[in-house]
């Protein structure tokens, strides 16, 4: 039956037997090869995940990429099993052609440049990526500094300056617009003297966050620190009494005894006191004034307006109080001894002070005595003692006194009781 079928088939197409046999054999071989291939090396698909996408080409000279994050895509390929399995992920080259992009947000196509025999790229997912191009601009931004730790307390008024005070920032318009200033950070606790050094500065936004993706005309500035030491020192002044005759300087007083100074540490540290120019008190009236200081220009006195003096000048009068030996008390004499002071001895106390104080003082306001404690019989020369009454020792007492005549005095000490008892 098969032979009849073939004969009828050949006769239908008018083929000769020999030629037909060859053709049919070839067809059968092809069909057999296809059958074998479908069984042993079938067509399959394969997906490569997270294949990196690179950038190719260049943007316009006036533009710059302002937003182009690192992209990844999944690539699906198809082909005979042996060929597909031979492909590795690093054989796949994905890229975005920047030369095709324009200013603004671009929905850029992701291209694949890899080619393989017997392998077909079925798809890329995602097939597009957002790339933003912006114009390049430049703008001057202020430079500031911040202290990460304060100056030492004695250097709290130190001054910091930076140069230059502005730096040009270049880059995408949106990023440059975010930059509000460039800042450098200084640990002032480590500074003890004036110094100059290079300070690294960083562009930051209004939230204090660093702005990346911009360039600056310089990433360092010169920081100049003028260290200022502050301390308090005592004030010293010499004065002389050059008042008119009949007057004298009763009291010289400083209204402030300490000065607050500041300046370069090397000068301030060498100052232990602040000495004013000498003051001569003249005339016959109370005087007051500001102290004058001859100090280095490297030092500043902060409370100079309070460094003043006042001098009280008084009109002086003299008055004498006379006593005789009978008004001198003997104290300390041993019980078995008697004592007799030199007869006819004149004793004078001279008072010196302002008229009201002088006129009100009486002889009874003073007591005179000799202390004979420890003395034995015989003739001795002893000093007179003078003591004012308690009511004379007051804050408003403006007088002086001295024993100007009658000291020392001779005393005769004898055995037995008598006048000195």
């Amino acid at each position: 039956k098969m032979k009849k079928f073939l004969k009828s088939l050949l006769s239908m197409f008018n083929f000769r037997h020999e030629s037909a046999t060859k053709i049919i054999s070839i067809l059968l071989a092809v069909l057999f090869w296809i059958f074998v291939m479908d069984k042993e090396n079938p067509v399959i698909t394969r997906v490569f995940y997270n294949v990196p996408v690179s950038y190719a080409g260049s943007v316009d000279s006036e533009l710059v990429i302002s937003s182009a994050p690192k992209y990844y895509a999944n690539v699906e390929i198809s082909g005979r099993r042996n060929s597909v399995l031979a492909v590795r992920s690093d054989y796949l080259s994905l890229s975005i052609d920047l030369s095709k992009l324009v200013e603004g947000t671009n929905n850029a196509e992701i291209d694949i440049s890899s080619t393989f025999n017997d392998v077909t790229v079925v798809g890329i997912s995602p097939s597009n990526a957002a790339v933003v191009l912006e114009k390049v601009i430049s703008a001057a931004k202020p430079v500031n500094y911040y202290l990460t730790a304060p100056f030492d307390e004695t250097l709290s008024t130190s001054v910091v300056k930076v140069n230059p005070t502005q730096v040009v920032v270049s880059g995408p318009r949106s990023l440059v617009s975010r930059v509000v200033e460039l800042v450098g950070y200084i640990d002032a606790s480590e500074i003890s003297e004036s110094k100059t050094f290079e300070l690294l500065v960083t562009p930051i936004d209004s939230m204090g966050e660093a702005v990346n993706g911009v360039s600056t005309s310089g990433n360092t500035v010169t920081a100049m620190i003028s260290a200022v030491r502050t301390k308090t020192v005592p004030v010293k002044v010499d004065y002389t009494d050059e008042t008119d005759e009949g007057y004298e300087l009763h009291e010289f007083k400083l209204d402030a005894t300490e000065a607050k100074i500041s300046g370069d540490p090397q000068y301030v540290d060498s100052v232990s006191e602040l000495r004013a120019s000498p003051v001569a008190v003249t005339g016959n009236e109370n005087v007051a004034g500001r102290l004058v200081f001859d100090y280095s220009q490297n030092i500043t006195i902060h409370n100079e307006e309070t460094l003043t003096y006042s001098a009280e000048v008084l009109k002086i009068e003299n008055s004498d109080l006379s006593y005789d030996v009978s008004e001198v008390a003997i104290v300390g004499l041993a019980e078995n001894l008697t004592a007799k002071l030199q007869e006819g001895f004149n004793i004078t106390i001279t008072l010196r002070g302002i008229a009201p104080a002088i006129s009100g003082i009486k002889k009874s306001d003073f007591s005179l005595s000799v202390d004979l404690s420890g003395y034995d019989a015989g003739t001795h020369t002893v000093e007179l003692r003078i003591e004012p009454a308690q009511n004379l020792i007051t804050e408003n007492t403006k007088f002086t006194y001295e024993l100007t005549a009658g000291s020392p005095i001779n005393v005769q000490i004898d055995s037995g009781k008598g006048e000195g008892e």
Side-chain angles (χ1 to χ4, degrees):
K1 291 183 179 180
M2 179 60 70
K3 288 182 179 181
K4 289 181 180 181
F5 172 74
L6 290 175
K7 286 181 180 181
S8 60
L9 182 62
L10 292 174
S11 62
M12 183 185 301
F13 290 100
N14 197 23
F15 286 156
R16 295 174 56 186
H17 177 72
E18 293 80 4
S19 298
T21 301
K22 291 180 181 180
I23 292 172
I24 291 172
S25 298
I26 293 172
L27 290 175
L28 290 174
V30 171
L31 292 174
F32 180 75
W33 179 82
I34 292 173
F35 173 78
V36 172
M37 288 295 292
D38 285 340
K39 290 294 185 181
E40 299 297 329
N41 192 22
V43 174
I44 64 172
T45 60
R46 182 183 180 190
V47 178
F48 291 88
Y49 296 94
N50 296 323
V51 178
V53 179
S54 62
Y55 297 94
S58 58
V59 299
D60 187 281
S61 59
E62 295 183 355
L63 300 177
V64 68
I65 300 173
S66 64
S67 177
K70 185 68 175 176
Y71 285 108
Y72 297 87
N74 303 326
V75 179
E76 184 180 4
I77 61 175
S78 176
R80 290 294 174 181
R81 181 176 182 276
N82 291 343
S83 298
V84 169
L85 294 180
V87 177
R88 298 202 318 244
S89 61
D90 55 357
Y91 292 174
L92 305 175
S93 178
L94 302 181
S95 64
I96 295 173
D97 188 357
L98 297 176
S99 63
K100 297 178 180 180
L101 307 185
V102 296
E103 182 181 1
T105 301
N106 295 265
N107 190 26
E109 183 179 359
I110 299 176
D111 300 321
I112 184 167
S113 59
S114 304
T115 57
F116 310 98
N117 293 330
D118 302 328
V119 174
T120 303
V121 176
V122 177
I124 301 172
S125 176
S127 60
N128 297 84
V131 180
V132 180
L133 300 186
E134 291 187 75
K135 279 190 175 296
V136 177
I137 66 169
S138 298
K141 302 291 182 176
V143 177
N144 291 307
Y145 70 89
Y146 292 96
L147 301 182
T148 58
F151 283 97
D152 179 86
E153 183 178 349
T154 63
L155 295 171
S156 60
T157 58
S158 298
V159 178
V160 181
K161 293 183 179 179
V162 294
N163 183 44
T165 57
Q166 289 188 325
V167 168
V168 175
V169 178
S170 301
R173 185 192 306 276
S174 62
L175 295 181
V176 172
S177 299
R178 279 182 56 198
V179 178
V180 295
E181 62 180 350
L182 289 91
V183 299
Y185 300 94
I186 301 173
D187 182 358
S189 65
E190 299 294 326
I191 296 172
S192 60
E193 60 184 2
S194 299
K195 63 187 301 184
T196 300
F197 57 94
E198 293 300 306
L199 180 65
L200 179 67
V201 292
T202 303
I204 63 171
D205 60 19
S206 59
M207 302 298 292
E209 300 293 334
V211 178
N212 299 314
V214 295
S215 60
T216 60
S217 56
N219 62 350
T220 61
V221 298
T222 301
M224 297 159 288
I225 297 182
S226 300
V228 179
R229 175 91 70 210
T230 301
K231 73 176 184 179
T232 300
V233 295
V235 173
K236 302 292 184 181
V237 60
D238 296 324
Y239 59 90
T240 56
D241 182 357
E242 300 179 16
T243 54
D244 295 344
E245 185 176 355
Y247 294 83
E248 70 177 28
L249 174 60
H250 176 71
E251 183 181 31
F252 186 90
K253 182 174 65 175
L254 294 179
D255 298 310
T257 59
E258 291 184 325
K260 183 179 180 181
I261 65 173
S262 67
D264 192 290
Q266 65 175 321
Y267 295 104
V268 173
D269 290 345
S270 65
V271 177
S272 59
E273 65 179 33
L274 203 61
R275 184 162 291 276
S277 300
V279 175
V281 180
T282 62
N284 55 23
E285 296 181 350
N286 295 340
V287 293
R290 178 177 292 184
L291 296 175
V292 177
F293 297 92
D294 182 17
Y295 56 89
S296 169
Q297 293 181 350
N298 297 295
I299 294 177
T300 299
I301 303 176
H302 294 277
N303 63 328
E304 191 167 6
E305 69 281 356
T306 68
L307 300 179
T308 58
Y309 67 90
S310 58
E312 184 180 19
V313 177
L314 301 177
K315 181 175 176 58
I316 300 302
E317 293 184 359
N318 295 329
S319 177
D320 293 335
L321 301 175
S322 297
Y323 300 81
D324 59 36
V325 293
S326 65
E327 297 174 285
V328 178
I330 297 174
V331 297
L333 183 65
E335 291 184 359
N336 61 335
L337 300 176
T338 61
K340 183 178 182 180
L341 297 177
Q342 179 181 346
E343 295 183 359
F345 196 78
N346 295 319
I347 303 167
T348 302
I349 295 176
T350 298
L351 305 175
R352 179 179 175 82
I354 61 175
I358 295 295
S359 61
I361 298 176
K362 305 179 295 295
K363 287 176 57 176
S364 59
D365 291 324
F366 292 92
S367 61
L368 282 69
S369 64
V370 290
D371 186 359
L372 300 182
S373 300
Y375 284 90
D376 295 326
T379 301
H380 304 279
T381 300
V382 297
E383 295 291 333
L384 280 172
R385 293 192 312 181
I386 176 173
E387 295 181 2
Q390 190 66 33
N391 65 317
L392 293 182
I393 310 302
T394 66
E395 184 178 346
N396 296 323
T397 302
K398 293 181 172 63
F399 71 92
T400 60
Y401 59 89
E402 60 181 333
L403 196 60
T404 58
S407 183
I409 187 173
N410 293 329
V411 59
Q412 178 64 44
I413 301 177
D414 299 313
S415 300
K417 294 185 179 181
E419 183 179 344
E421 186 177 0

